[in-house]
Structure formats: C-alpha cells, structure tokens
Amino acid sequence: LAKTTQPISMDSYEGQEVNITCSHNNIATNDYITWYQQFPSQGPRFIIQGYKTKVTNEVASLFIPADRKSSTLSLPRVSLSDTAVYYCLVGGDFNKFYFGSGTKLNVKP
Amino acid sequence: SQTIHQWPATLVQPVGSPLSLECTVEGTSNPNLYWYRQAAGRGLQLLFYSVGIGQISSEVPQNLSASRPQDRQFILSSKKLLLSDSGFYLCAWSNKTPGGGETQYFGPGTRLLVL
C-alpha cells in the first residue's frame, strides 16, 4: 500500500495559483493518483485523477513526472471557498486507498 | 446520476448502547462499498469494504461490524459502543474498474458522539 507525504498546511491569497505537491516513492505500476477536497463536516469530494503526465479538468490540473514518485495538484486562481483539506491518494485495482492527514489550505482575502 | 445517502447525520449515544448506521447508493449497480472513520483533524481510516452482497472485509479489528444485505445498502453496527467509537463515519462507493483508476465517491457522513 503506497503511502503519501504532503505538507501539513499552506497559505495563499485569493486569485493566486496554488500548487500542492505529494510524494509517493513506493507507487506501484498499476496505481493511480487521486486528489480529494474535504470541507469540515463533509465527505471528501473527488477533484482529479491521473496516471502519468498531465491531466486537466474544469477545477484543477494534475502534474505527474515520468518517475511517478510525486505529483502536484494545481489550483488556478483560488478563492476563499477553496479553503479546505486536500488529500493525495495512491491506489490500484482494489482501491484500498491510504488517506494521510492531507494538506490544509488556507486562502486569505 | 448516482447519489449516496447516509443517516442519521448526527447521533449521540451512551457508552454500551448499540449502533446502526445506514448507507444507500442510488443510480448504480454492484458497486464496491466502503466504511471509513475520521477522528477530529485526522485522515480517514478504512474500516470495512464490500465487493458484493454478503461479502465483507475488515481492515482494522474494531468494536464494529458491517453488513451488506442488499446490493446498494451498507450497514455499520456495534453491539456495545465505546467512548473511542466517537468520530465522523463516512460511507463511500465506487464502480469496479478492472485495471485500476477506480474512484470513490463519499456520502455526507454521520457524526457520532459516544458519552
């Protein structure tokens, strides 16, 4: 089960781009990388998932280098409502994801 | 579209009392189902998962049990609650995706306080 390492917290200001990096040195060949967002007292919400290179959707981009030992979630032009905890997960076929403590992002006005 | 429901939203129970939390999924069939617990300020701990009716796997020895009596229903139970059972309980589902890339979708959660 591949474990992940993320910064405990990050601060940003409204309108800035935020990049959160996650290390997963023991990632397996069939593991995908998935990011979730969680607000207090709510269930985690899926943001983005990728296997290699770059993935982009309407809310974020995910950058994965060739060795796949890390990944970076990029949030363009954050707003106050993006203040949340962000989890990086690595999992394969059976999806026994390991949720670490995540990164608490604090967006300031 | 798929939706996942959990109830109750909040629950306060005395130590030693029984527990039953229910989770149902709509809009999909034969999903994988999961129960997680989250302590305050911590990540999620996987408790149980199920790949089909009557099939339950436990990740961590607990004072809890799980059952899947129907395809889209997942129940978390306890015969006697402990103080340490307090927490935020989350149910999740995923579609089976051979080859990886499976994504879990979470319910709104149940806040349990054992006194």
Side-chain angles (χ1 to χ4, degrees):
Chain A
L1 199 64
K3 293 197 173 181
T4 60
T5 303
Q6 306 174 232
I8 294 174
S9 64
M10 294 180 68
D11 289 333
S12 181
Y13 291 92
E14 282 190 292
Q16 288 187 334
E17 178 184 74
V18 171
N19 296 309
I20 305 174
T21 297
C22 178
S23 297
H24 28 81
N25 291 318
N26 297 322
I27 189 168
T29 303
N30 62 343
D31 283 346
Y32 280 69
I33 301 157
T34 309
W35 285 80
Y36 285 84
Q37 175 193 56
Q38 187 180 27
F39 298 111
S41 298
Q42 295 186 26
R45 183 177 73 97
F46 171 82
I47 301 175
I48 198 166
Q49 183 182 75
Y51 184 80
K52 62 180 179 181
T53 63
K54 177 184 175 182
V55 180
T56 297
N57 62 21
E58 63 276 8
V59 297
S61 295
L62 178 59
F63 299 91
I64 306 168
D67 66 6
R68 303 199 328 120
K69 293 184 182 297
S70 67
S71 59
T72 299
L73 174 72
S74 180
L75 304 172
R77 297 179 298 282
V78 295
S79 64
L80 294 176
S81 62
D82 292 317
T83 294
V85 178
Y86 292 82
Y87 294 98
C88 161
L89 290 88
V90 173
D93 270 339
F94 213 76
N95 263 5
K96 290 175 19 173
F97 284 150
Y98 170 76
F99 276 84
S101 297
T103 297
K104 187 172 184 179
L105 174 63
N106 184 30
V107 180
K108 304 175 183 178
Chain B
S1 64
Q2 300 87 1
T3 56
I4 178 169
H5 304 278
Q6 287 186 246
W7 63 91
T10 59
L11 190 60
V12 180
Q13 292 284 96
V15 169
S17 64
L19 173 73
S20 181
L21 302 181
E22 189 164 344
C23 170
T24 58
V25 181
E26 297 177 354
T28 188
S29 60
N30 195 27
N32 290 331
L33 296 173
Y34 308 82
W35 277 113
Y36 288 87
R37 178 169 61 199
Q38 187 174 34
R42 307 291 294 274
L44 281 70
Q45 178 187 34
L46 179 64
L47 300 175
F48 301 95
Y49 64 90
S50 171
V51 299
I53 296 174
Q55 301 178 63
I56 309 294
S57 296
S58 174
E59 283 298 294
V60 183
Q62 299 283 343
N63 178 43
L64 304 167
S65 61
S67 61
R68 185 170 176 174
Q70 301 180 41
D71 181 44
R72 290 169 290 174
Q73 183 185 31
F74 206 22
I75 297 172
L76 184 69
S77 304
S78 175
K79 293 182 179 179
K80 289 186 178 181
L81 283 169
L82 306 172
L83 288 173
S84 57
D85 291 324
S86 294
F88 190 45
Y89 288 83
L90 289 155
C91 180
W93 72 272
S94 66
N95 282 323
K96 295 175 176 62
T97 311
E102 200 168 312
T103 299
Q104 294 185 14
Y105 299 94
F106 287 83
T110 294
R111 177 79 58 190
L112 172 66
L113 178 60
V114 182
L115 300 175

